Amino acid sequence: MIQRIQTIYLILTFIVTGVLLFFVPLWTLNNGKAFYFMQDQIYTIVLGLSTMLTIVSIISYKKRQNQFVMGRLNIILNLILLGLFVYRSLNLSGETVQVSEKGIGMFLPIVAIVLLVLANKAIKKDEDLVKSVDRLR
């Protein structure tokens, strides 16, 4: 159901986690090469899980409670990913060979978290609306 606002938020989350990170580097190395998430296996696994949860959540629009739980799990996965990015950037300062310049890709999990929170709010609102209508019967 594309007309529901939470579906729009989830599609935007899919674009951020599943599409945009292929084109936006996480950081730039000292030799000028861009570092993408695909170059580290842990980042690839966590982002793959997050993207798959988003797709499954979009598909299961009839089961609002499951959609809400998947949204929360996806938020936790993105927080873990953000923690890994922060850990890597704090342990490897700008003067080392590993990381020279931080990229915008490090902050995309924050955008995904905000979109997932908005989607969960809309799902909760729909669930409350259905419960109130059931009460009237």
Side-chain angles (χ1 to χ4, degrees):
M1 290 181 83
I2 194 71
Q3 69 263 25
R4 292 172 46 199
I5 189 68
Q6 60 262 32
T7 307
I8 302 296
Y9 290 141
L10 290 171
I11 289 172
L12 288 174
T13 304
F14 170 73
I15 290 171
V16 167
T17 60
V19 177
L20 207 55
L21 278 172
F22 280 103
F23 303 109
V24 179
L26 297 177
W27 49 76
T28 307
L29 302 175
N30 269 344
N31 58 8
K33 289 186 176 180
F35 184 87
Y36 292 94
F37 79 95
M38 298 164 289
Q39 295 172 341
D40 194 345
Q41 188 175 12
I42 295 173
Y43 300 149
T44 306
I45 291 170
V46 174
L47 272 168
L49 286 173
S50 176
T51 305
M52 289 307 296
L53 266 177
T54 304
I55 291 171
V56 170
S57 184
I58 290 171
I59 292 171
S60 66
Y61 61 88
K62 289 185 179 181
K63 301 172 186 158
R64 287 176 301 276
Q65 193 62 34
N66 290 346
Q67 200 176 28
F68 187 77
V69 170
M70 283 186 274
R72 283 193 173 177
L73 288 174
N74 208 346
I75 289 171
I76 291 169
L77 275 176
N78 279 300
L79 283 173
I80 290 170
L81 185 67
L82 186 63
L84 288 172
F85 288 163
V86 168
Y87 175 76
R88 177 94 183 241
S89 70
L90 290 178
N91 274 351
L92 304 172
S93 65
E95 287 76 31
T96 64
V97 179
Q98 296 292 324
V99 178
S100 173
E101 181 179 313
K102 280 74 174 173
I104 192 76
M106 288 184 67
F107 302 105
L108 287 178
I110 296 172
V111 175
I113 290 170
V114 169
L115 289 170
L116 286 167
V117 166
L118 290 172
N120 272 358
K121 276 182 137 178
I123 293 167
K124 181 74 171 148
K125 187 176 171 183
D126 274 0
E127 189 67 28
D128 291 343
L129 181 67
V130 168
K131 284 182 182 179
S132 71
V133 169
D134 282 344
R135 225 178 294 138
L136 293 175
R137 285 187 204 176

